[in-house]
Amino acid sequence: MRGMRGRAGRGGRRSRLRAGDLVREALAGLLQRPGRSALTALGTVLGVGTFVAILGLTATASSQIDARFNALSATEVTVEDTGGDDADHITNSFPADAPARVGRLHGVEHAGVYWIASPEAASGSPGAGTVTSSPVGDLAAGEDVQVVAATPGVLQAAGPGLAQGRIYDAYHQRNAADVAVIGAGLAERLGILTLETRPAVFIGGRPFTVIGIVDDVDRKEELLLSVTVPSSTAMAHWGGPVRGERARMLISTRLGAATQVARNAATALDPAHPERFKVIPPPDPQMLRGGVSGDLDQLFLLLAGICLVIGTVGIANTTLVAVLERTGEIGLRRALGARARHITAQFLTESAALGLLGGLVGTSIGTLVVVGVAVLRDWTAVIHPLTVVAAPVIGLATGLLAGIHPAWKASRIPPVEALRR
Amino acid sequence: MTPNTAPSCAADGPAEAGGSRPATVVEFDGVGLTYPGPPPVAALRPCSLTVREGEYVAVVGPSGSGKSTFLNIVGLLDRPTEGTYVLDGADTTALPEAELTALRGSLIGFVFQAFHLIPHRTALENVALAMLYSAVPARERVQRARTALEQVGLAHRADSLPSRMSGGERQRAAIARAIVGRPRLLLCDELTGNLDSATAASVLDLLDDLHASGMTLVVITHDPVVAARAARTITIRDGVLSEAVTAGTPTEARRLPEVLG
Ligand SMILES: Nc1ncnc2c1ncn2[C@@H]1O[C@H](COP(=O)(O)OP(=O)(O)O)[C@@H](O)[C@H]1O
Ligand SMILES: [Mg+2]
């Protein structure tokens, strides 16, 4: 009867290996030698870790640049007065109505002309540029402070944050009023604490009423260390820019308009001689980002690739050694009913699990590096979700790839040969 | 009949007086194996043989005579290069590899000379492994493995690693693994080769128990004591399989050491 059952019931039946059992066997195989498994996965850990760190750092730095770029650089255009061929005899190429001309360009928010005023050169006496807060006494010692002659548009374009008072406007400019706006740091040094007393600064002995103290600007930080007076006032007292110190124009634009403004600014200023101006457009965001993912990153990505290759070779090697060491086990499993494909599956699963584990650890380490660097630099860490998902998959693929050859070899060992060891 | 295909011996189990004979488990018809070489080695000359259910067969012969080759063929680990082998009613020579593997896993239990216990796995895990490829649920595997270990008197060593076990204990663990799947046929190679006589005797007692419970045994041995326990003795010499008519008698078994030299 048993013979009959064997004939009917067992013929055509095939060995089976449940997926859960396969994974369990593979993990047991790896845990047999935890130290070796860890060493084997090291290459993958390094490769995947470097990969995640580089992509994460690049994304983090780019987002940082994007933020800065959007806020400032994208909306700033500077025009320099080169004078062109006439630089020697024309000290100022900007027309008197330069701010108005540029202001008519589409997208311009504020525009103004400024230069470093030269009270000393104008008066010819030393000390004429000394700035003090009092004509006599201790505080009269004064300091050599930069005096900037600027149309009101410059102050507006600079986006000042005012500690006290206000900035001067078209009225002061029109009347060449003796007013000044000074930086907060300078005000402290000069002993000017409040504007309620209507304090004055003396430039070469000439008093200027301080109407505003600036403690912050979006751009043109040097305004914080300067005394800024209306350009018309400076013109009246000391004349225009002297040789060597040429005027510039600062333009703030709406977001996205800067490139277009930069293209048209020179012509708008002087249609007959646009070549007298050098327009500095905002940096191209594409170029900025290109600079970040530049040579160094490619080098590191290459290193990550090399690590992955080393990791693959490492896993392949160790798995092959394991196959040779475990030949007896392979023969035993075949004797117990394992088919060649079950052996293949087991070793492939082992190497894939090794790769996946390496990938997961690598992803964690890479993420920690990105977060650590971001914290140190006071940045916001940015890691693309795709990176986090792709990295362990890369590890898994590495392991699978590494396992193909050893697993195939393992399955090809005839059971009799395997058991002879 | 050419000499090549002619069975060099026609061995059959002792006929039982009257009644129906037990089912045939192993049936060799001109089975032989020649390793291709070069030079070609005729490890097993063509032979015919029948082993019936419940038999206890000892295979004796000098080293290198072809005993393991014979056992590998019986155990479906190796295909014969000639002849027909019918196992439990199925012609194995015609079966594809996958079915042969399944048959091997379900019908046959092996006890190897080298034990082949997996290191870093406990005795229990090693025994449970035998049911891995027949999709027995994990819990049932462990349960049955425990029972098998009890059966061989190794329940107290269930959680020991093979490296911490004595030779006799390893042998018992290997036997537990071989019988846990309830095979029809138990094959043992050099069963007591490395054991001291007391341990060997206890292992042989275990085999006697299995035999008494109805299991079919084919045991390779050098040891006349082992051969004496079997009802039937098959001798292999230079790949030639033979069976004395009085096979299994103490006289035959005692004569063997001189033959082995
Ligand atoms: N793979 C093989 N290739 C060639 N010859 C082999 C191979 N395996 C075994 N043999 C030879 O077959 C003969 C029988 O070997 P074996 O069955 O292992 O003997 P036993 O188990 O009786 O010691 C020996 O001469 C051995 O050298
Ligand atoms: Mg042998």
Side-chain angles (χ1 to χ4, degrees):
Chain A
M1 289 317 283
R2 287 188 70 181
M4 288 305 297
R5 194 197 61 187
R7 248 157 285 193
R10 275 158 177 151
R13 200 206 275 177
R14 308 206 166 189
S15 316
R16 279 178 297 157
L17 180 58
R18 292 158 182 248
D21 286 336
L22 173 64
V23 172
R24 218 170 306 161
E25 281 300 306
L27 288 182
L30 291 181
L31 292 176
Q32 277 179 20
R33 294 169 173 273
R36 180 197 277 186
S37 297
L39 268 180
T40 306
L42 195 63
T44 315
V45 170
L46 287 179
V48 173
T50 315
F51 175 79
V52 170
I54 289 164
L55 291 188
L57 287 177
T58 308
T60 302
S62 298
S63 83
Q64 235 52 45
I65 286 164
D66 282 353
R68 289 184 50 141
F69 180 84
N70 290 338
L72 300 168
S73 339
T75 58
E76 179 178 328
V77 177
T78 309
V79 184
E80 287 179 2
D81 170 14
T82 62
D85 297 334
D86 309 309
D88 288 342
H89 54 270
I90 300 178
T91 56
N92 186 2
S93 310
F94 286 105
D97 60 346
R101 284 172 182 240
V102 170
R104 279 194 289 273
L105 290 175
H106 183 75
V108 171
E109 285 187 334
H110 304 290
V113 175
Y114 67 94
W115 66 86
I116 309 297
S118 311
E120 275 180 65
S123 69
S125 65
T130 308
V131 175
T132 67
S133 56
S134 161
V136 291
D138 281 351
L139 291 170
E143 304 192 34
D144 257 330
V145 177
Q146 179 172 280
V147 177
V148 175
T151 65
V154 173
L155 288 176
Q156 288 165 338
L162 283 156
Q164 292 184 59
R166 48 175 294 215
I167 57 175
Y168 55 78
D169 57 21
Y171 170 82
H172 299 100
Q173 171 77 358
R174 201 161 46 243
N175 295 304
D178 286 342
V179 293
V181 170
I182 64 175
L186 180 61
E188 202 173 319
R189 289 214 304 276
L190 292 173
I192 298 171
L193 305 175
T194 172
L195 295 185
E196 290 187 3
T197 56
R198 301 187 63 76
V201 289
F202 296 81
I203 304 172
R206 190 188 301 275
F208 290 78
T209 308
V210 178
I211 62 167
I213 297 177
V214 182
D215 64 357
D216 180 38
V217 286
D218 288 341
R219 45 176 79 90
K220 252 193 94 47
E221 284 82 359
E222 63 261 41
L223 289 181
L224 295 176
L225 300 168
S226 311
V227 174
T228 309
V229 301
S231 62
S232 55
T233 312
M235 201 73 179
H237 296 317
W238 311 303
V242 295
R243 219 167 285 263
E245 277 292 346
R246 302 191 71 98
R248 289 158 180 257
M249 176 171 246
L250 179 68
I251 308 169
S252 70
T253 73
R254 282 203 299 276
L255 197 61
T259 310
Q260 189 63 30
V261 168
R263 203 169 294 140
N264 298 329
T267 312
L269 283 167
D270 190 345
H273 299 288
E275 80 282 356
R276 289 179 180 171
F277 303 99
K278 183 184 170 202
V279 182
I280 301 166
D284 188 340
Q286 235 65 48
M287 275 174 55
L288 267 183
R289 222 167 282 137
V292 167
S293 55
D295 298 342
L296 204 62
D297 285 320
Q298 275 166 17
L299 184 73
F300 274 114
L301 277 180
L302 186 70
L303 276 178
I306 292 173
C307 283
L308 278 178
V309 170
I310 293 173
T312 310
V313 173
I315 293 182
N317 251 328
T318 316
T319 311
L320 197 58
V321 169
V323 165
L324 294 179
E325 271 183 2
R326 288 157 67 187
T327 302
E329 176 187 329
I330 293 167
L332 171 80
R333 288 176 185 274
R334 297 298 301 273
L336 293 177
R339 293 170 66 188
R341 64 179 60 174
H342 293 150
I343 303 295
T344 308
Q346 183 185 340
F347 282 97
L348 260 188
T349 309
E350 279 190 25
S351 64
L354 215 50
L356 179 64
L357 284 176
L360 285 173
V361 174
T363 306
S364 313
I365 292 177
T367 307
L368 282 179
V369 167
V370 174
V371 171
V373 168
V375 166
L376 283 180
R377 294 282 192 99
D378 213 5
W379 286 349
T380 310
V382 177
I383 299 182
H384 204 279
L386 200 63
T387 308
V388 178
V389 175
V393 174
I394 289 177
L396 180 79
T398 307
L400 267 180
L401 192 71
I404 289 175
H405 179 239
W408 179 79
K409 279 206 98 147
S411 74
R412 294 300 300 266
I413 302 176
V416 189
E417 294 291 330
L419 287 162
R420 195 166 286 141
R421 311 285 166 94
Chain B
M1 266 192 198
T2 63
N4 220 21
T5 51
S8 60
C9 90
D12 200 345
E16 277 163 37
S20 64
R21 306 169 92 192
T24 304
V25 179
V26 173
E27 189 158 10
F28 274 22
D29 182 12
V31 168
L33 191 150
T34 304
Y35 289 110
V41 179
L44 186 67
R45 307 245 173 218
C47 68
S48 298
L49 168 85
T50 303
V51 178
R52 297 188 177 278
E53 182 155 39
E55 276 197 279
Y56 188 167
V57 181
V59 180
V60 296
S63 193
S65 57
K67 302 185 297 295
S68 295
T69 304
F70 168 75
L71 202 74
N72 287 338
I73 294 171
V74 173
L76 301 177
L77 287 170
D78 225 347
R79 280 179 189 272
T81 48
E82 56 196 297
T84 313
Y85 171 24
V86 179
L87 172 65
D88 200 27
D91 182 0
T92 63
T93 28
L95 285 180
E97 187 63 37
E99 286 179 33
L100 214 60
T101 303
L103 218 55
R104 183 200 302 149
S106 61
L107 291 187
I108 294 164
F110 292 95
V111 181
F112 299 101
Q113 190 174 357
F115 308 144
H116 285 303
L117 296 169
I118 301 184
H120 309 288
R121 305 278 188 102
T122 64
L124 189 73
E125 287 169 337
N126 266 289
V127 175
L129 197 72
M131 294 164 282
L132 185 69
Y133 300 98
S134 41
V136 175
R139 186 181 302 209
E140 190 186 334
R141 286 207 298 267
V142 172
Q143 233 162 23
R144 281 169 63 176
R146 254 183 225 293
T147 313
L149 281 174
E150 269 166 38
Q151 209 177 334
V152 300
L154 210 61
H156 62 292
R157 298 294 261 153
D159 297 322
S160 304
L161 293 176
S163 53
R164 301 276 167 78
M165 288 162 38
S166 71
E169 285 172 335
R170 279 181 228 175
Q171 185 74 276
R172 283 165 183 279
I175 293 174
R177 183 181 61 199
I179 62 172
V180 72
R182 296 174 199 136
R184 301 215 56 200
L185 183 60
L186 182 65
L187 306 179
C188 310
D189 198 349
E190 303 285 357
L191 188 63
T192 57
N194 312 314
L195 303 182
D196 62 85
S197 54
T199 313
S202 75
V203 169
L204 288 176
D205 289 343
L206 181 58
L207 284 197
D208 283 346
D209 291 346
L210 291 171
H211 180 227
S213 73
M215 191 170 282
T216 312
L217 304 177
V218 176
V219 180
I220 290 181
T221 184
H222 267 110
D223 188 350
V225 179
V226 180
R229 297 225 184 187
R232 228 180 128 185
T233 302
I234 289 171
T235 309
I236 302 182
R237 210 166 284 131
D238 292 331
V240 179
L241 190 143
S242 66
E243 186 172 8
V245 188
T246 52
T249 64
T251 335
E252 178 75 8
R254 238 173 266 125
R255 208 169 52 80
L256 273 165
E258 295 148 35
V259 175
L260 294 171

